[in-house]
Amino acid sequence: MLQRRQSGDELMVSLRAGLADFQGANDAAYREALHAWAGALWRVMAPHGPALSPLKEIERNLGGTEMTTIGEANMRRYREKLLQQGVEQGMEQGLEQGLEQGRADAFERLHREAASSLDPATAERVSKLIDGLH
């Protein structure tokens, strides 16, 4: 259940559900193992983000109140910041690649037109000039 989660929020929902299902005194080892597993996944999701909240703090919040811990709030802000940076970086890279590809296509088209419409010697000289612009 935990390993399929894509975000810190989803991970916390699954962790809380797992902890809520095993609240008995004999289930303490299971809850600790589940928390440790969730902590390992949490570190993979945000290696530079805040640590997972302690087990006792999460268990305290199982009583039906959906209080967000400082760690969860920090994780959410961290994830949103990374997402925004990724979008900005992707847009910038896309624009750069699009411009580079458009420029390369234009020069390739000029080479083809020169080769098809000029005699071979002139086409070769024109191609050298085009390459000098590139």
Side-chain angles (χ1 to χ4, degrees):
M1 93 179 136
L2 294 178
Q3 72 274 13
R4 294 189 193 131
R5 301 303 160 228
Q6 300 295 316
S7 72
D9 291 338
E10 290 178 6
L11 180 66
M12 288 306 299
V13 168
S14 291
L15 175 59
R16 284 185 180 123
L19 294 173
D21 288 344
F22 295 90
Q23 292 188 19
N26 295 333
D27 298 323
Y30 172 80
R31 288 193 309 274
E32 289 171 8
L34 188 62
H35 182 264
W37 185 15
L41 293 171
W42 186 273
R43 285 188 298 278
V44 169
M45 287 180 182
H48 305 293
L52 182 66
S53 300
L55 177 59
K56 294 229 181 267
E57 187 175 331
I58 296 171
E59 288 178 329
R60 234 187 346 260
N61 293 327
L62 286 178
T65 60
E66 280 294 317
M67 293 182 58
T68 302
T69 65
I70 292 173
E72 290 169 316
N74 287 341
M75 180 65 159
R76 189 175 301 118
R77 280 194 299 273
Y78 177 75
R79 193 179 70 250
E80 289 169 1
K81 179 181 173 185
L82 286 179
L83 179 64
Q84 182 62 35
Q85 287 174 345
V87 168
E88 290 171 3
Q89 184 179 13
M91 288 175 63
E92 186 175 312
Q93 287 175 348
L95 287 173
E96 288 174 9
Q97 290 173 351
L99 290 173
E100 289 173 14
Q101 185 62 46
R103 184 179 171 106
D105 290 347
F107 282 109
E108 180 61 33
R109 190 171 44 252
L110 288 172
H111 280 289
R112 281 195 313 269
E113 289 176 13
S116 68
S117 62
L118 301 172
D119 63 87
T122 305
E124 185 175 332
R125 286 193 312 236
V126 169
S127 285
K128 286 180 183 177
L129 289 171
I130 292 171
D131 288 338
L133 295 173
H134 198 270

